[in-house]
Amino acid sequence: MFGNLAKKIRGAAALLALLAAPLAFGDDPPPTPEELVKIRAANAECLSCHSEAGLKKPPKEGMDLKKLRSHLVHLDTFTASDHGQMACTKCHGDGYAEHPHAADAKDEMAECQDCHARKAMRIERQFDKSVHAENLSETFTCKTCHDAHTMALASKLRDPHKIVAQDNKICLDCHDSDLAFAKMAPDKKKRPPIDDIHDWLPNTRLHWKAVRCVECHTPTEDKLSLSHEIQNKDKAEKKCATCHSANSSLNARLYRHLQTEEQNKYGFLNSVMLSSSYVVGATRNPTLDKALIALFIATVLGVIGHGIVRIITTRLRRRKNHD
Ligand code: HEC
Ligand code: HEC
Ligand code: HEC
Ligand code: HEC
Ligand code: HEC
Ligand code: HEC
Ligand code: HEC
């Protein structure tokens, strides 16, 4: 009976997803296979210059190759990105159809909000409260973080290591570079070295590879999606147990998309946590693992007898001193 109900709910969810799909696609329906062939052909025109191959064998003489070199688009990365099925000219306007490009071609650039009106409303509200929007000039925008050619949604990347690498690169490219930081920072503000700020966190570089900056620097209330409100440093997460416990909120956040997928596949929420392949916490941290096992053994032995308890406590004390 419950199986039936679950089936009905899944059926309804699938129908809803189907209805919502055209809306989710920017605000237009996704391209048909025929349209996609045309889009790819038109993009190949642009890439005949804007690619490594174009640079090596320019289809035209007398171009500014030095400039072109800093304007390359990598086809595979672009195709794998969220915008990989779009025509270049959807965002860049028609001024780029011919080369030399029109002098005012740049002015026709589409903004994120033009195509993502509904999402942008939610996100702008959060972004406007962030330290970057509040403390920095108008130059800090969506595009400062979002590379429209490369960025891919977490749910698309799937692998938590890839998600962390992509999202942390955004922050580190600026917070780990004096040059980039100075370009954005108010006058005379010096970049605090990222490892010094976080010196209370053991193994910082390993943490940068395993957990996103935004996990600690955004509010946690929103369970369904990542908040864009990067908060003031006083509000940042410092408690180890937030992540290093079997039921950590990190599971619910960084891996939330995996959970839903697994949920659809297996029909219950905790399967990813149970399979533990990506779970941090008790099962993933050898140091903490050992401490937990020691604690467990101590508890069991503690029941056995008074004499043993004494030995255990001295041992534990020694272990504690050792730590
Ligand atoms: C000309 C229209 C257009 C512009 C401009 C545009 N996008 Fe998109 N975007 C799309 C379309 C179409 C999709 C494709 C599919 C979809 O919605 O799943 C998409 C997908 C996405 C996705 C993945 C799906 C989702 O909605 O979450 C993200 C994230 C995204 N865009 C962010 C941005 C950001 C950030 C900017 C500004 C730098 C931007 N887009 C500019 C049209 C646009
Ligand atoms: C024949 C070669 C060629 C083709 C084809 C070409 N471009 Fe370019 N593009 C260039 C060169 C060279 C530059 C460097 C600056 C310049 O010469 O205008 C450039 C610059 C640009 C810039 C940067 C402009 C700026 O000042 O920030 C954009 C954006 C651009 N192209 C987009 C496109 C798009 C989109 C297409 C396809 C519709 C396209 N290009 C097709 C050669 C080409
Ligand atoms: C979803 C929108 C979108 C699509 C689709 C898109 N671009 Fe861009 N492109 C941008 C944005 C945003 C920038 C950054 C402009 C800025 O810095 O203000 C940019 C910058 C560029 C630049 C100049 C500077 C640089 O960083 O290289 C070139 C060249 C370029 N795009 C070419 C292309 C080509 C070729 C395609 C198709 C294969 C394409 N773009 C597809 C949004 C898009
Ligand atoms: C400080 C960097 C930063 C800025 C600024 C920023 N974003 Fe994001 N954005 C991210 C990161 C990191 C993600 C996470 C990617 C994921 O989880 O898929 C993301 C995810 C998204 C997504 C997909 C997830 C969702 O919640 O739907 C959209 C759409 C988006 N951003 C749009 C915007 C818009 C619009 C702006 C400007 C108002 C903006 N972003 C400004 C860093 C930024
Ligand atoms: C292009 C540069 C740039 C990028 C990208 C960027 N930041 Fe920043 N960020 C700054 C600058 C500059 C400041 C200093 C603002 C000030 O002190 O007025 C800052 C400040 C901060 C602060 C400090 C707030 C405080 O209380 O002093 C935090 C936290 C922060 N950023 C986190 C992030 C995270 C997380 C990301 C990635 C999602 C990110 N930043 C991306 C430039 C950047
Ligand atoms: C485990 C949680 C955690 C992670 C992960 C984390 N931070 Fe922090 N961050 C903090 C805490 C807590 C503070 C406040 C430290 C203090 O005040 O002593 C802080 C402070 C900061 C500051 C303020 C610097 C200052 O003093 O002006 C910046 C900027 C910052 N972090 C950026 C980042 C970036 C970029 C990343 C990703 C590479 C990151 N953080 C990852 C917890 C974290
Ligand atoms: C936002 C989440 C988060 C917070 C907060 C956090 N960590 Fe971690 N930590 C991780 C992740 C994820 C890993 C990588 C685990 C893995 O790869 O198995 C890690 C790894 C570690 C490791 C290395 C374990 C090994 O395999 O070598 C140590 C030690 C550690 N954390 C200690 C701490 C301490 C102490 C604190 C509090 C000061 C803390 N962590 C706070 C997420 C976090």
Side-chain angles (χ1 to χ4, degrees):
M1 175 201 175
F2 281 111
N4 256 341
L5 186 66
K7 238 186 222 160
K8 270 187 197 145
I9 292 174
R10 267 204 298 275
L15 192 70
L16 269 177
L18 210 73
L19 289 173
L23 285 172
F25 198 84
D27 282 337
D28 294 332
T32 61
E34 295 79 37
E35 282 168 338
L36 201 55
V37 170
K38 277 193 200 146
I39 289 169
R40 298 256 145 93
N43 288 1
E45 289 280 319
C46 308
L47 293 170
S48 72
C49 290
H50 288 278
S51 63
E52 285 293 341
L55 196 62
K56 263 192 216 126
K57 259 177 103 187
K60 214 178 102 180
E61 280 180 24
M63 290 194 291
D64 186 341
L65 293 182
K66 221 174 130 213
K67 253 196 188 154
L68 185 62
R69 185 181 298 279
S70 61
H71 287 334
L72 301 187
V73 177
H74 194 274
L75 177 62
D76 293 342
T77 323
F78 175 74
T79 306
S81 80
D82 290 330
H83 294 130
Q85 298 197 351
M86 288 175 66
C88 314
T89 45
K90 267 264 181 185
C91 292
H92 287 290
D94 295 330
Y96 292 105
E98 306 283 331
H99 188 271
H101 299 320
D104 60 353
K106 247 182 156 173
D107 308 336
E108 285 176 49
M109 187 82 211
E111 297 295 329
C112 317
Q113 288 84 338
D114 298 342
C115 304
H116 299 286
R118 277 184 310 151
K119 268 194 183 156
M121 270 212 300
R122 159 175 60 86
I123 290 171
E124 261 174 353
R125 267 202 304 275
Q126 299 165 343
F127 174 63
D128 287 345
K129 283 191 278 178
S130 75
V131 288
H132 300 117
E134 290 206 321
N135 299 352
L136 304 170
S137 71
E138 307 264 296
T139 48
F140 206 106
T141 67
C142 314
K143 284 190 238 169
T144 309
C145 290
H146 283 277
D147 185 330
H149 300 158
T150 63
M151 201 150 168
L153 274 185
S155 52
K156 202 167 184 177
L157 292 172
R158 297 183 54 89
D159 177 356
H161 286 101
K162 282 193 191 148
I163 298 167
V164 171
Q166 167 187 270
D167 291 359
N168 283 4
K169 184 175 185 301
I170 297 172
C171 318
L172 288 170
D173 275 354
C174 195
H175 279 281
D176 204 21
S177 152
D178 286 327
L179 203 73
F181 190 83
K183 259 196 206 154
M184 201 47 86
D187 274 351
K188 299 213 187 91
K189 163 104 188 174
K190 264 200 79 139
R191 182 182 70 85
I194 199 77
D195 293 316
D196 296 358
I197 304 166
H198 301 92
D199 60 0
W200 46 272
L201 188 66
N203 233 327
T204 45
R205 288 282 148 175
L206 182 115
H207 275 99
W208 301 163
K209 286 206 175 79
V211 67
R212 294 192 294 185
C213 316
V214 289
E215 274 359 306
C216 292
H217 284 287
T218 58
T220 51
E221 296 98 65
D222 194 348
K223 294 266 182 294
L224 287 175
S225 60
L226 175 82
S227 169
H228 272 69
E229 181 187 349
I230 310 259
Q231 296 173 305
N232 170 304
K233 64 179 174 217
D234 305 327
K235 291 194 186 147
E237 183 62 63
K238 217 170 181 172
K239 289 190 292 295
C240 317
T242 306
C243 301
H244 291 289
S245 61
N247 229 341
S248 79
S249 72
L250 182 71
N251 286 325
R253 305 183 79 204
L254 176 57
Y255 312 134
R256 60 167 87 79
H257 64 283
L258 284 177
Q259 284 165 26
T260 23
E261 276 172 17
E262 297 286 303
Q263 198 184 344
N264 290 340
K265 223 186 212 154
Y266 302 116
F268 69 103
L269 192 84
N270 281 343
S271 56
V272 170
M273 291 186 195
L274 294 178
S275 82
S276 91
S277 47
Y278 292 124
V279 179
V280 278
T283 53
R284 299 289 294 168
N285 184 324
T287 322
L288 293 176
D289 260 359
K290 275 182 208 137
L292 279 178
I293 291 166
L295 217 82
F296 177 66
I297 293 171
T299 316
V300 171
L301 292 182
V303 189
I304 296 174
H306 185 75
I308 302 173
V309 170
R310 265 208 181 154
I311 299 168
I312 305 291
T313 37
T314 38
R315 237 205 238 166
L316 269 183
R317 220 174 281 142
R318 234 185 274 142
R319 200 183 291 273
K320 219 175 183 181
N321 289 342
H322 197 71
D323 282 347

